Amino acid sequence: MVSFEMNDRKKIGLGLTGFGIFFTFLGVIFLFDKGLLAMGNILFLSGVALTIGPKSTLQFFMKPQNYKGTISFGAGFFFVVIGWPILGMILESYGFIVLFSGFWPTLAVFLQRIPILGWVLQQPFVRSGAINC
């Protein structure tokens, strides 16, 4: 069985990633506040870099199949920083989906192992993707 060693750097990285997602969520809730969105982006990217390491981060973003997502995410980050948060978030969302689309099956397996949430996700009406009214 492969173990995932959790050292202090990875703990801090996961914390920064979580705070980045939280600040981005707050930025969207507060009508695309550019300060919160920019802070969320910086925290998220620094958290990813600390969690998987700077070399792996650069390799991930520079893979040829990830160019479209990297350029879209970077352009969205730029637009958020210069003050166009809605356009920036649209581009970032597209880039995020393209970049991390390979992780969705892993995330689904992880969520199904959480005690109560896993039971809910394994119900037939959730597995089918729609509730028939």
Side-chain angles (χ1 to χ4, degrees), residues 45-66:
L45 289 176
S46 61
V48 168
L50 277 176
T51 302
I52 65 175
K55 184 178 178 183
S56 297
T57 302
L58 284 175
Q59 287 176 347
F60 174 73
F61 283 106
M62 296 302 160
K63 285 182 186 174
Q65 65 264 27
N66 289 348

Side-chain angles (χ1 to χ4, degrees), residues 60-130:
F60 174 73
F61 283 106
M62 296 302 160
K63 285 182 186 174
Q65 65 264 27
N66 289 348
Y67 282 161
K68 189 173 16 172
T70 300
I71 291 170
S72 177
F73 192 83
F77 180 78
F78 174 74
F79 281 123
V80 166
V81 170
I82 66 168
W84 295 1
I86 295 175
L87 178 62
M89 286 307 296
I90 291 170
L91 285 171
E92 279 186 19
S93 299
Y94 174 73
F96 184 82
I97 290 170
V98 170
L99 280 172
F100 296 104
S101 61
F103 295 114
W104 299 127
T106 305
L107 181 64
V109 169
F110 173 75
L111 290 175
Q112 288 177 353
R113 293 184 182 198
I114 296 175
I116 295 172
L117 186 61
W119 179 80
V120 171
L121 291 175
Q122 292 175 0
Q123 297 305 311
F125 60 89
V126 176
R127 281 189 162 290
S128 68

